[in-house]
Amino acid sequence: MNNRPVDTLAIALAQINPVVGDVTGNAAKVRAVRDRARHADLILFPELFIAGYPPEDLVLKPAFQAACRAAIEDLARETADGGPAMIVGTPWLDGGKLYNAVALLDRGRIAALRYKVDLPNYGVFDEKRVFAIGPLPGPVNFRGVRLGVPICEDIWGPEPAECIAETGGEILLVPNGSPYRRGVVDQRLSVAVARVKETGLPLIYLNQIGGQDELVFEGASFVLNADASLAVQLPAFSEALVTTHWRRSGDGWHCEPGEIAQLLSQEKADYTACMLGLRDYVGKNGFPGVVLGLSGGIDSALVAALSVDAIGPDRVRTVMLPYKFTSQDSLKDAAAAAKALGVRYDILPIEPAVTGLEKSLEPLFAGLPRDVTEENLQARARGTIIMALSNKYGLMVVTTGNKSEMSAGYATLYGDMNGGFNPVKDLYKTEVYRLSRLRNVWKPEGALGPDGVVIPENIITRAPTAELRENQKDQDSLPPYDILDDILERLVEKEQPIAEIVAAGFDAATVTRVDRMLNLSEYKRRQAAPGVKVTLRGFGRDRRYPITNKFRDPGTPLPKPDTALVSGTPTASESIDF
């Protein structure tokens, strides 16, 4: 047993990557961490670590609840060996209610349990759907030290931390499952600083690392002393096990200065998030590799680079699927991109498939003009071929549509939308260009692709085109991407009314047209592959619009509410008679 003086503590922070549902595997990771951190008094693990986060409705299965509890009980028994204690996140059934809990495991027992109070129910979170609200938490007594353990969202408001401070808490240990999005690192720090200043207590913020479906958790855990100074900063987008050293004086507990990792810029963080999200989706779901169509365009080139960086060139297969509208530039650029990345590259012309489809439809299409139907046949022939490669070789299809295209519906169902995962789903077209330029001069730590230029310059500078008809350009059907993306960000991320966007200087007809395309394409987005979230509001878990929806913004200034019509509003203690 560690017999340290009561005025010192060694607390290890386990910023590691769980797998949702892999209770046995997650418990094994807990044991491996404990073996590595035998010098510590206490090891802190992320939110719901034993289950993996977020478990969604899986956590409602009684068999899963029982498996998590059994794992926690086994881990608790193992702490009888005199080694470090642990705080491990787990679902916990108590009195018929299911809680998002942490368990303090020490000296062979479950020494304490604490339940999450503030259950987030916005954006990608819907914890109120599956968990009960816990009582306000007091501190747990760990070997004579009173530790507060608010869970993630519990520190985004003042009340739980204040309760801990008022009941004698000495250090705040905060296990988290906080997913990446732009700007969230600064938000987390601001929230943590506010709680430190309100309570006068130092704070450990431990975040999860890894990808889980659409979400990526970047870690970036940190420690603040009671004066809100940064004592420790863990890296983002990589696992870490760091022991922090604490000393108690007359002013309370103080963390000794430790590692201060340099965090990434926004664009580098976005790229790394997309890479990690794809890597974990492939790895955690057991795919041997991926296959994608390499068209010679910017989107597929960036996705190919992300794929190679995520899982290595030997596990990435690319295929060019040319037709009569495919230019020599596209053939040359696709081949150059494949060579730069070191991936297998095949050419399979789709003319026989398209001709066969058109021949089958000829009796019904006789006398009708050629239109987008024939264009979509090309995309669907490509989609069928690439899915056949997936079936034959067991590879996951990576799809390549960006957020601009998915917003405007500039994609073909059962064609280029085919696929199991889309790492650029939440990147607008202009961001695809920026990240492509970035990757040519920088490679993320841990990336498995080559150094240097991996996306040929001609792909970046050439006008984008779907090449479904002669001399086609994207701007034949869409506004210029710099304008389109600015409008879309205002409509999607900010929910700005059309009138407000027009007042900012945009053409009214263009804004109305983009809003119409956005609304009409909801049915396509519902059928799209999942993809990494990096923006404030991604399609899928974040932005949930009805498919059947007759409302359209008229584009006029919003009317002011007529408050004179309202005679009273209810309060919690009132009942209203009609």
Side-chain angles (χ1 to χ4, degrees):
M1 185 179 299
N2 290 330
N3 294 313
R4 296 182 180 275
V6 294
D7 61 347
T8 63
L9 275 178
I11 303 175
L13 311 185
Q15 181 177 289
I16 56 176
N17 189 348
V19 178
V20 167
D22 186 7
V23 177
T24 301
N26 294 338
K29 290 185 177 186
V30 170
R31 293 185 177 96
V33 165
R34 190 166 184 264
D35 285 342
R36 291 171 55 198
R38 303 294 294 187
H39 56 282
D41 299 303
L42 175 67
I43 308 168
L44 179 64
F45 289 85
E47 179 179 11
L48 286 178
F49 185 82
I50 210 71
Y53 186 84
E56 302 186 69
D57 285 9
L58 173 63
V59 80
L60 298 176
K61 289 182 72 71
F64 183 65
Q65 297 167 9
C68 291
R69 177 159 186 151
I72 291 293
E73 291 174 348
D74 287 344
L75 291 169
R77 294 184 188 101
E78 293 169 20
T79 61
D81 64 0
M86 300 182 288
I87 293 176
V88 185
T90 182
W92 196 263
L93 195 64
D94 183 357
K97 294 181 179 181
L98 185 66
Y99 295 98
N100 180 336
V102 290
L104 172 61
L105 314 180
D106 188 25
R107 296 175 176 171
R109 301 186 59 79
I110 301 172
L113 289 160
R114 290 296 182 269
Y115 303 147
K116 191 171 183 178
V117 178
D118 287 337
L119 302 177
N121 206 49
Y122 57 85
V124 300
F125 306 105
D126 49 10
E127 288 192 28
K128 288 182 180 178
R129 172 185 174 88
V130 294
F131 291 116
I133 297 172
L136 283 172
V140 301
N141 191 329
F142 172 67
R143 304 181 185 179
V145 184
R146 296 176 65 78
L147 304 175
V149 195
I151 303 171
C152 197
E153 191 78 11
D154 285 347
I155 68 163
W156 286 71
E159 197 170 6
E162 285 179 356
C163 179
I164 290 167
E166 290 169 357
T167 51
E170 298 175 70
I171 308 173
L172 297 173
L173 283 68
V174 190
N176 291 267
S178 178
Y180 174 76
R181 67 175 188 275
R182 291 174 192 158
V184 74
V185 171
D186 291 339
Q187 281 185 294
R188 291 184 196 130
L189 185 59
S190 295
V191 166
V193 167
R195 300 295 85 81
V196 167
K197 289 185 174 180
E198 289 163 359
T199 62
L201 301 180
L203 181 149
I204 296 174
Y205 186 103
L206 176 70
N207 195 23
Q208 176 175 312
I209 180 75
Q212 170 58 27
D213 297 343
E214 300 102 317
L215 303 181
V216 171
F217 301 84
E218 87 279 24
S221 307
F222 58 88
V223 177
L224 298 177
N225 272 312
D227 62 358
S229 62
L230 185 67
V232 176
Q233 174 66 67
L234 273 61
F237 301 106
S238 63
E239 289 191 316
L241 177 60
V242 174
T243 300
T244 60
H245 297 278
W246 296 76
R247 185 171 299 278
R248 178 159 49 185
S249 67
D251 296 329
W253 285 93
H254 180 82
C255 180
E256 296 178 2
E259 172 189 1
I260 303 292
Q262 185 68 39
L263 300 182
L264 298 174
S265 67
Q266 178 185 296
E267 287 187 351
K268 290 180 178 180
D270 283 354
Y271 187 97
T272 309
C274 293
M275 180 187 77
L276 178 58
L278 177 59
R279 175 182 291 166
D280 275 359
Y281 193 85
V282 172
K284 291 180 179 181
N285 286 294
F287 291 104
V290 302
V291 60
L292 69 144
L294 198 58
S295 68
I298 189 75
D299 299 308
S300 64
L302 179 61
V303 170
L306 282 163
S307 299
V308 170
D309 283 343
I311 61 175
D314 294 342
R315 297 175 65 192
V316 178
R317 184 168 183 170
T318 64
V319 57
M320 160 58 90
L321 301 165
Y323 190 50
K324 61 185 178 181
F325 302 123
T326 302
S327 69
Q328 287 302 309
D329 275 346
S330 293
L331 288 163
K332 180 182 67 175
D333 291 342
K339 182 178 180 181
L341 289 165
V343 296
R344 177 169 176 172
Y345 174 70
D346 296 292
I347 301 176
L348 295 177
I350 66 169
E351 186 165 5
V354 175
T355 300
L357 289 168
E358 290 191 356
K359 190 69 174 176
S360 297
L361 291 164
E362 193 173 57
L364 297 182
F365 284 7
L368 297 175
R370 296 179 70 84
D371 55 18
V372 71
T373 305
E374 284 74 20
E375 295 181 12
N376 286 343
L377 283 180
Q378 299 169 48
R380 291 187 173 118
R382 291 184 172 108
T384 298
I385 290 170
I386 206 161
M387 286 304 301
L389 293 172
S390 171
N391 293 158
K392 184 62 70 176
Y393 296 103
L395 304 173
M396 186 191 77
V397 177
V398 185
T399 188
T400 63
N402 60 69
K403 193 171 186 177
S404 307
E405 294 169 350
M406 295 310 302
S407 298
Y410 197 63
T412 304
L413 275 174
Y414 326 120
D416 57 310
M417 287 179 64
N418 281 1
F421 196 76
N422 181 355
V424 299
K425 181 178 181 179
D426 205 25
L427 296 174
Y428 290 110
K429 187 79 167 189
T430 50
E431 294 165 345
V432 169
Y433 279 103
R434 286 200 293 271
L435 293 193
S436 297
R437 293 188 182 95
L438 172 68
R439 179 57 182 85
N440 278 347
V441 298
W442 164 86
K443 186 177 76 172
E445 185 176 344
L448 302 177
D451 296 327
V453 175
V454 294
I455 300 175
E457 183 64 21
N458 197 51
I459 289 179
I460 296 175
T461 58
R462 192 159 61 102
T465 171
E467 292 191 324
L468 298 176
R469 61 178 182 269
E470 199 70 48
N471 298 318
Q472 182 186 22
K473 298 289 185 291
D474 287 7
Q475 258 59 81
D476 298 340
S477 305
L478 299 172
Y481 279 116
D482 56 343
I483 296 173
L484 175 64
D485 290 354
D486 200 343
I487 293 171
L488 286 171
E489 185 176 6
R490 292 166 183 269
L491 289 170
V492 176
E493 270 80 30
K494 300 177 181 178
E495 290 285 6
Q496 287 184 357
I498 288 176
E500 189 174 324
I501 300 173
V502 172
F506 293 89
D507 174 68
T510 301
V511 177
T512 301
R513 177 178 165 227
V514 171
D515 183 65
R516 181 176 184 276
M517 289 190 292
L518 179 66
N519 282 303
L520 292 179
S521 301
E522 190 62 42
Y523 76 101
K524 289 187 178 182
R525 291 190 289 273
R526 286 289 185 96
Q527 300 179 65
V532 177
K533 169 186 164 67
V534 298
T535 66
L536 182 63
R537 295 186 76 196
F539 293 125
R541 295 176 66 97
D542 243 351
R543 186 182 185 273
R544 309 176 193 181
Y545 265 60
I547 297 172
T548 305
N549 170 23
K550 288 292 186 181
F551 179 78
R552 296 293 181 269
D553 185 338
T556 55
L558 302 183
K560 293 182 179 179
D562 188 351
T563 56
L565 288 175
V566 181
S567 58
T569 54
T571 65
S573 60
E574 281 184 331
S575 62
I576 300 176
D577 295 324
F578 294 97

